[in-house]
Amino acid sequence: MGWLNKKKESIDPDRLPDHVGIIMDGNGRWAQKRGLPRYAGHVAGAKVFKTIAYYARDIGLKNLTVYAFSTENWQRPEEEVSRIMKVLEEFIDDALNTFEKERVRIRFLGDMSAFSGVLLEKMERIVEATKDFSGLTLNIAMNYGGQHEIAYAAREAARLVQAGLLKPEDITPEVFGKMLYFDDCDSVDLVIRPSGEKRLSNFLLWQSAYAEFWYSDILWPDFKPEDLDQAIIDYQKRNRRFGGV
Ligand code: IPE
Ligand code: IPE
Ligand code: MG
């Protein structure tokens, strides 16, 4: 009767990763497996995104960055890109209706110059409306690429040097890290990638220098709060050495 005594593992709330990143991958394959068009996977994925984001808040996570659309995803058929944008817009519409209840600070990580019109307006509105919430900060990576972000920071540094405000020899990892898109987001502790792929796909390149990785074959629309629990439980068993002993 060993199973009776087997205590279910649970998260240690005192040792949560400070910053979790999720590559929300596998929407297309989830839909194809069901004989549905790829966009149906993005619709299902957006639902899961909402569930997981609010669950992350409930368990006490402080920083969650989700990869929603990469700088490379523009290569997809126009129809799919516009469906993904629509789904993101619907997420923002929902957040605009519920932010007072949900109390999550929402920000967008990426090159925002690609966005305009109603979508950009809604993005700006939700950022402004939620900027003072102090529980979970949800960074939605949209038109995000890690290499683009590093190039952006390099341009910032170059400008400061050109203006005589910074000396080249003062550009340390600490100083450079503050020039990324957000000055409070220069490392990630745990990167989660469902869908079976084992690559970063240009996600948080600088920030993941010492990240722990958690992979799973689950497709994103099938991802459950228990899977986030499991990723954190596994993370809490890792021995992070940061190059030390
Ligand atoms: C992730 O799912 C969503 C985005 C990249 C926007 P995919 O659309 O990449 O799904 P797969 O990898 O093709 O299954
Ligand atoms: C990474 O997934 C981007 C997002 C999940 C938004 P992709 O599906 O674009 O990555 P690759 O093409 O498999 O590397
Ligand atoms: Mg994919």
Side-chain angles (χ1 to χ4, degrees):
M1 298 290 265
W3 57 272
L4 263 185
N5 309 323
K6 198 162 171 252
K7 211 171 147 272
K8 200 173 158 283
E9 287 185 302
S10 55
I11 296 175
D12 176 352
D14 297 324
R15 290 172 49 249
L16 287 174
D18 179 58
H19 182 189
V20 175
I22 303 181
I23 301 173
M24 304 189 290
D25 196 19
N27 293 350
R29 279 165 282 172
W30 182 91
Q32 277 162 344
K33 257 175 57 183
R34 285 164 178 73
L36 298 168
R38 288 180 59 87
Y39 77 81
H42 298 309
V43 172
K47 244 196 218 153
V48 171
F49 163 38
K50 191 175 142 184
T51 303
I52 295 296
Y54 296 142
Y55 180 70
R57 171 206 58 201
D58 294 343
I59 61 175
L61 281 189
K62 300 303 279 178
N63 297 287
L64 175 66
T65 300
V66 293
Y67 207 5
F69 192 84
S70 75
T71 44
E72 289 70 37
N73 287 148
W74 295 107
Q75 296 170 47
R76 296 189 179 197
E78 218 180 291
E79 161 78 7
E80 180 170 350
V81 170
S82 73
R83 291 282 193 168
I84 294 171
M85 291 303 156
K86 186 103 201 79
V87 159
L88 284 163
E89 189 173 334
E90 282 163 9
F91 173 84
I92 301 169
D93 283 338
D94 180 70
L96 281 166
N97 286 324
T98 57
F99 71 89
E100 280 169 317
K101 177 174 121 264
E102 303 293 359
R103 306 187 68 78
V104 168
R105 176 162 79 136
I106 296 175
R107 308 190 293 189
F108 297 95
L109 183 73
D111 176 2
M112 293 300 110
S113 67
F115 302 109
S116 61
V118 179
L119 178 58
L120 182 64
E121 218 174 273
K122 287 177 179 174
M123 288 161 79
E124 288 170 348
R125 262 172 52 209
I126 195 65
V127 169
E128 178 61 25
T130 62
K131 69 179 191 320
D132 294 326
F133 293 138
S134 60
L136 173 70
T137 293
L138 172 63
N139 301 308
I140 305 176
M142 256 174 92
N143 192 28
Y144 176 85
Q147 293 179 336
H148 293 73
E149 183 178 31
I150 293 168
Y152 165 87
R155 283 195 299 277
E156 285 295 296
R159 270 191 209 104
L160 291 173
V161 168
Q162 202 172 37
L165 298 168
L166 185 70
K167 293 202 286 290
E169 54 273 30
D170 291 338
I171 305 175
T172 60
E174 290 71 30
V175 168
F176 190 77
K178 300 289 169 228
M179 293 178 188
L180 297 169
Y181 289 139
F182 294 133
D183 63 5
D184 58 357
C185 187
D186 61 0
S187 71
V188 63
D189 300 295
L190 170 63
V191 171
I192 295 172
R193 184 165 193 163
S195 94
E197 309 300 352
K198 295 184 175 62
R199 53 178 172 260
L200 270 177
S201 302
N202 212 4
F203 184 54
L204 301 180
L205 293 188
W206 176 277
Q207 296 89 335
S208 63
Y210 272 99
E212 297 293 330
F213 290 108
W214 192 85
Y215 300 108
S216 158
D217 288 336
I218 303 160
L219 300 173
W220 176 249
D222 291 327
F223 197 90
K224 302 272 180 304
E226 298 83 76
D227 298 313
L228 181 60
D229 285 350
Q230 195 54 57
I232 295 173
I233 289 166
D234 289 357
Y235 165 88
Q236 290 181 330
K237 289 181 193 153
R238 309 266 179 97
N239 180 6
R240 301 184 80 194
R241 284 187 288 272
F242 298 97
V245 286

